[in-house]
Every structure is written in C-alpha cells, then in structure tokens.
Amino acid sequence: MEFSKVNHSRHKVTEFDGSRLPIAEVKAILAEAVLAPSAHNIQPWHFAIVASDEKRAALSTAMHGKNAAQHEAAGATLVVYSDTDLTERVHDLVEIGADFLPEASKEMLLTRLPGMFDKFSPEELSDYLALNIGLVAQNIVLVATDKGLKTNMILGFDKVKAKEVLAIEERFRPELIITMGYSDTEGTASYRLPVNDITDVI
C-alpha cells in the first residue's frame, strides 16, 4: 500500500471483533516500526505484548472509562514503554550491536552519550523520551494499518497501576497503550487544521 493511502486510511477504531492476533504478527509489526527515527539512535523504547488472560484482565483494572472494553476485545494490546535509564540503554546498544557497530561508533556511544544524559534535568529527560516514543508509536499504527489492522492509541490509563500489574523491569516507564485488531468499523477522519493556517514561510 502506498504511504499516502496508508496515512489517509489510519483512523481511531475502538471496537474489535475479539479474534486474537498471533504474537509473531505483532512482533513483525514491531520489527518494522522500530525503524523509526531516534535521537542519537538511542532507541529508548521497550514493548510489552499483553497476551495472557491473566495479564489482560489485570491491565483492564488500570484502564479509564471505556478503554478496558476495547482492550479486552482487541486482537492484541501493546504497552509502549520508555527506558528511563539511558546510560544502561547505551550499554545495551553497544552489547547487542557488538558485531555490527564500528569501533569508532562504540567509543562515541560509551564516552559521549552517558555524560550528556547525566546532565539532563527531569524535564529534559521526559521531553527526550516523549519525542522518541511518539516517533515509534506513530510507526506502529501506520505499519499495522498497512497490514489491514485497525488501531487506537490510549493515554487514559493509570500508569502507576499498569506498571505494577505488568511487572516490567523498574527502569521502563509505561507511556501509552496501543490496541489493534480486526474490525468492521472503518473509523472516520478527524478534522485537521489547514496547513496554510499553521505554517509560516519566513
């Protein structure tokens, strides 16, 4: 599917047919989505595919309003986390990419980035993580759309409770939830501000 068609056909859908997506299919979506741009290529994201009935039910208790119902009917629910320990992420990147990264790149990653991250204020860290998570989240829903799935991004949930019930490593902070699956509902396009009204040519 050409990008313009994918982009125009992606709409919020909150009603799914209940059929579960294979985990391999969700991982295939992630494998494409993580090609998203990332500041310093640090890729500070982590994902949880909530597949077990026990964990799906537990996550429902952290949802606000009607979000639990769409989560329960979704083919897959994906929790997108940010990695708050950026120095540890650098070491992960170098370790996992040991056979791929040039030595000069490894040295730069290990000597320059940790010092920069250590100087981040809490606000700078939050902004940095939010930028990166937004980029990969957008890629996830576009890839899923390209594969014929419907999606929705959920911000309405208790992050503290979600972290508790999913019990992912402490350094990972839940940022948003993406539901995806099959649905007869097409969704409708939301109003967008005209480009000429939100753009200055200077």
Coordinates of all heavy atoms in Angstrom, one line a residue, residues 34-78:
V34 N 10.3 -0.2 14.5 CA 11.5 0.3 15.2 C 12.5 0.9 14.3 O 13.5 1.4 14.7 CB 12.1 -0.8 16.1 CG1 11.2 -1.2 17.2 CG2 12.5 -2.0 15.2
L35 N 12.1 0.9 13.0 CA 13.0 1.7 12.0 C 12.7 3.2 12.1 O 13.3 4.0 11.4 CB 12.7 1.2 10.6 CG 13.0 -0.3 10.3 CD1 12.6 -0.7 8.9 CD2 14.5 -0.6 10.6
A36 N 11.8 3.6 13.0 CA 11.5 5.0 13.2 C 12.8 5.8 13.6 O 13.7 5.2 14.1 CB 10.5 5.1 14.4
P37 N 12.8 7.1 13.2 CA 13.9 7.9 13.7 C 14.0 7.9 15.2 O 13.0 7.8 15.9 CB 13.5 9.3 13.2 CG 12.5 9.1 12.1 CD 11.8 7.8 12.5
S38 N 15.3 8.0 15.7 CA 15.5 8.1 17.1 C 16.7 9.0 17.4 O 17.8 8.9 16.7 CB 15.8 6.7 17.6 OG 16.3 6.7 18.9
A39 N 16.5 9.9 18.3 CA 17.6 10.8 18.7 C 18.8 10.1 19.1 O 18.7 9.2 20.0 CB 17.1 11.8 19.8
H40 N 20.0 10.4 18.5 CA 21.2 9.7 18.8 C 21.2 8.2 18.5 O 22.0 7.4 19.0 CB 21.7 9.9 20.2 CG 21.8 11.4 20.6 ND1 20.8 12.0 21.3 CD2 22.7 12.3 20.3 CE1 21.2 13.3 21.5 NE2 22.3 13.5 20.9
N41 N 20.1 7.8 17.8 CA 19.9 6.3 17.6 C 19.8 5.5 18.9 O 20.1 4.3 18.9 CB 20.9 5.7 16.6 CG 20.5 4.4 16.1 OD1 19.3 4.1 15.8 ND2 21.4 3.5 15.9
I42 N 19.4 6.2 20.0 CA 19.4 5.5 21.3 C 18.2 4.5 21.4 O 18.3 3.6 22.3 CB 19.4 6.6 22.4 CG1 20.0 6.0 23.7 CG2 18.1 7.2 22.6 CD1 21.4 5.5 23.6
Q43 N 17.2 4.7 20.7 CA 16.0 3.8 20.7 C 15.6 3.5 22.1 O 15.5 2.3 22.5 CB 16.4 2.5 20.0 CG 17.0 2.7 18.5 CD 17.7 1.5 18.0 OE1 17.1 0.4 17.9 NE2 19.0 1.7 17.6
P44 N 15.1 4.5 22.8 CA 14.8 4.3 24.3 C 13.4 3.7 24.5 O 12.6 4.3 25.2 CB 15.0 5.7 24.9 CG 14.5 6.6 23.8 CD 15.0 5.9 22.5
W45 N 13.1 2.7 23.7 CA 11.7 2.1 23.8 C 11.7 0.7 24.2 O 12.7 0.0 24.0 CB 10.9 2.3 22.5 CG 11.7 2.1 21.3 CD1 12.3 0.9 20.9 CD2 12.0 3.0 20.2 NE1 12.9 1.1 19.6 CE2 12.8 2.3 19.2 CE3 11.7 4.4 20.0 CZ2 13.2 3.0 18.1 CZ3 12.2 5.0 18.9 CH2 12.9 4.3 17.9
H46 N 10.7 0.2 24.8 CA 10.5 -1.2 25.2 C 9.0 -1.5 25.1 O 8.2 -0.6 25.2 CB 10.9 -1.4 26.7 CG 11.0 -2.8 27.1 ND1 12.1 -3.6 26.9 CD2 10.1 -3.6 27.8 CE1 11.9 -4.8 27.4 NE2 10.7 -4.8 27.9
F47 N 8.7 -2.7 24.8 CA 7.3 -3.1 24.5 C 6.9 -4.3 25.3 O 7.7 -5.2 25.6 CB 7.1 -3.4 23.0 CG 7.7 -2.4 22.1 CD1 8.9 -2.6 21.4 CD2 7.1 -1.2 21.9 CE1 9.5 -1.7 20.6 CE2 7.6 -0.2 21.0 CZ 8.8 -0.5 20.4
A48 N 5.6 -4.3 25.7 CA 5.0 -5.5 26.3 C 3.8 -5.9 25.5 O 2.9 -5.1 25.4 CB 4.7 -5.2 27.7
I49 N 3.8 -7.1 24.9 CA 2.6 -7.6 24.3 C 1.8 -8.3 25.4 O 2.3 -9.3 25.9 CB 3.0 -8.6 23.1 CG1 3.9 -7.9 22.1 CG2 1.7 -9.2 22.5 CD1 4.5 -8.8 21.1
V50 N 0.7 -7.8 25.7 CA -0.1 -8.4 26.8 C -1.0 -9.5 26.3 O -2.1 -9.3 25.7 CB -1.0 -7.3 27.5 CG1 -1.6 -7.8 28.7 CG2 -0.1 -6.1 27.8
A51 N -0.4 -10.7 26.4 CA -1.0 -11.9 25.7 C -1.8 -12.8 26.6 O -2.8 -13.4 26.2 CB 0.1 -12.7 25.0
S52 N -1.4 -13.0 27.9 CA -2.0 -13.9 28.8 C -3.3 -13.4 29.3 O -3.5 -12.2 29.4 CB -1.1 -14.3 30.0 OG -1.1 -13.2 30.9
D53 N -4.3 -14.3 29.5 CA -5.6 -13.9 30.0 C -5.5 -13.2 31.4 O -6.2 -12.2 31.7 CB -6.5 -15.1 30.1 CG -7.0 -15.6 28.8 OD1 -6.9 -14.9 27.8 OD2 -7.4 -16.8 28.7
E54 N -4.5 -13.7 32.2 CA -4.3 -13.1 33.5 C -3.8 -11.7 33.4 O -4.4 -10.8 34.1 CB -3.3 -13.9 34.3 CG -2.9 -13.4 35.6 CD -1.7 -14.1 36.3 OE1 -1.2 -15.0 35.6 OE2 -1.4 -13.7 37.4
K55 N -2.9 -11.4 32.6 CA -2.3 -10.1 32.5 C -3.3 -9.1 31.7 O -3.4 -7.9 32.1 CB -1.0 -10.1 31.7 CG 0.2 -10.7 32.5 CD 0.4 -9.9 33.8 CE 1.6 -10.5 34.6 NZ 1.9 -9.8 35.9
R56 N -4.0 -9.6 30.8 CA -5.0 -8.8 30.1 C -6.1 -8.3 31.1 O -6.5 -7.2 31.1 CB -5.7 -9.6 28.9 CG -4.8 -9.7 27.7 CD -5.4 -10.5 26.6 NE -6.5 -9.9 25.9 CZ -6.4 -9.4 24.7 NH1 -5.2 -9.5 24.0 NH2 -7.4 -8.8 24.1
A57 N -6.5 -9.2 32.0 CA -7.5 -8.9 33.0 C -6.9 -7.9 34.0 O -7.6 -6.9 34.4 CB -8.0 -10.1 33.7
A58 N -5.7 -8.1 34.3 CA -5.1 -7.2 35.3 C -4.9 -5.8 34.7 O -5.1 -4.8 35.4 CB -3.7 -7.7 35.7
L59 N -4.5 -5.7 33.4 CA -4.4 -4.4 32.8 C -5.7 -3.7 32.7 O -5.7 -2.4 32.8 CB -3.8 -4.6 31.4 CG -3.4 -3.3 30.6 CD1 -2.5 -2.4 31.5 CD2 -2.8 -3.6 29.3
S60 N -6.8 -4.4 32.5 CA -8.1 -3.8 32.5 C -8.4 -2.9 33.7 O -9.1 -1.9 33.6 CB -9.2 -4.8 32.3 OG -9.2 -5.4 31.0
T61 N -7.9 -3.4 34.8 CA -8.1 -2.6 36.1 C -7.4 -1.3 36.1 O -7.7 -0.5 37.0 CB -7.7 -3.5 37.3 OG1 -6.3 -3.6 37.3 CG2 -8.4 -4.8 37.3
A62 N -6.5 -1.1 35.2 CA -5.7 0.2 35.2 C -6.3 1.1 34.1 O -5.8 2.2 34.0 CB -4.3 -0.1 34.9
M63 N -7.3 0.7 33.4 CA -7.9 1.5 32.3 C -8.9 2.4 32.8 O -9.7 2.1 33.7 CB -8.5 0.5 31.3 CG -7.5 -0.4 30.6 SD -6.6 0.4 29.3 CE -6.0 -1.0 28.4
H64 N -9.0 3.6 32.1 CA -10.0 4.6 32.5 C -11.2 4.4 31.5 O -11.1 4.1 30.3 CB -9.5 6.0 32.3 CG -8.4 6.3 33.3 ND1 -7.5 7.4 33.1 CD2 -7.9 5.7 34.4 CE1 -6.7 7.4 34.1 NE2 -6.9 6.4 34.9
G65 N -12.4 4.6 32.1 CA -13.6 4.6 31.2 C -13.8 3.4 30.4 O -13.8 2.3 30.9
K66 N -14.1 3.6 29.1 CA -14.5 2.5 28.2 C -13.2 1.9 27.6 O -13.3 1.0 26.8 CB -15.3 3.1 27.1 CG -16.7 3.6 27.5 CD -17.5 4.1 26.3 CE -18.9 4.6 26.8 NZ -19.7 5.1 25.7
N67 N -12.0 2.3 28.0 CA -10.8 1.8 27.4 C -10.6 0.3 27.7 O -10.1 -0.4 26.9 CB -9.6 2.6 27.9 CG -9.6 4.0 27.3 OD1 -10.1 4.2 26.3 ND2 -8.9 4.9 28.0
A68 N -11.1 -0.2 28.9 CA -11.0 -1.6 29.2 C -11.7 -2.5 28.2 O -11.2 -3.5 27.8 CB -11.5 -1.8 30.6
A69 N -12.9 -2.0 27.8 CA -13.7 -2.8 26.8 C -13.0 -3.0 25.5 O -13.0 -4.1 25.0 CB -15.1 -2.2 26.6
Q70 N -12.4 -2.0 25.0 CA -11.7 -2.1 23.7 C -10.4 -3.0 23.9 O -10.1 -3.8 23.0 CB -11.4 -0.8 23.1 CG -10.3 0.1 23.8 CD -9.8 1.2 23.0 OE1 -9.0 1.0 22.0 NE2 -10.1 2.4 23.4
H71 N -9.8 -2.8 25.0 CA -8.6 -3.6 25.3 C -9.0 -5.1 25.3 O -8.3 -6.0 24.7 CB -7.9 -3.2 26.6 CG -7.2 -4.2 27.3 ND1 -6.1 -4.9 26.8 CD2 -7.5 -4.8 28.6 CE1 -5.7 -5.7 27.7 NE2 -6.5 -5.7 28.8
E72 N -10.1 -5.4 26.0 CA -10.5 -6.8 26.1 C -10.9 -7.4 24.8 O -10.8 -8.7 24.6 CB -11.6 -6.9 27.1 CG -11.1 -6.6 28.6 CD -12.2 -6.3 29.5 OE1 -13.4 -6.3 29.1 OE2 -11.9 -5.9 30.7
A73 N -11.4 -6.6 23.8 CA -11.8 -7.1 22.5 C -10.8 -7.1 21.5 O -10.9 -7.7 20.4 CB -13.1 -6.4 22.1
A74 N -9.7 -6.4 21.8 CA -8.6 -6.2 20.8 C -7.9 -7.5 20.4 O -7.8 -8.4 21.3 CB -7.6 -5.2 21.3
G75 N -7.4 -7.6 19.2 CA -6.6 -8.7 18.8 C -5.3 -8.8 19.5 O -4.7 -9.9 19.8
A76 N -4.8 -7.6 19.9 CA -3.5 -7.5 20.6 C -3.5 -6.2 21.3 O -4.0 -5.2 20.8 CB -2.3 -7.7 19.7
T77 N -2.9 -6.2 22.5 CA -2.7 -4.9 23.3 C -1.2 -4.8 23.5 O -0.6 -5.7 24.0 CB -3.5 -4.9 24.6 OG1 -4.9 -4.9 24.3 CG2 -3.1 -3.7 25.4
L78 N -0.7 -3.6 23.1 CA 0.7 -3.4 23.2 C 1.0 -2.2 24.1 O 0.4 -1.1 23.9 CB 1.3 -3.1 21.8 CG 2.8 -2.9 21.6 CD1 3.5 -4.2 21.8 CD2 3.1 -2.3 20.3

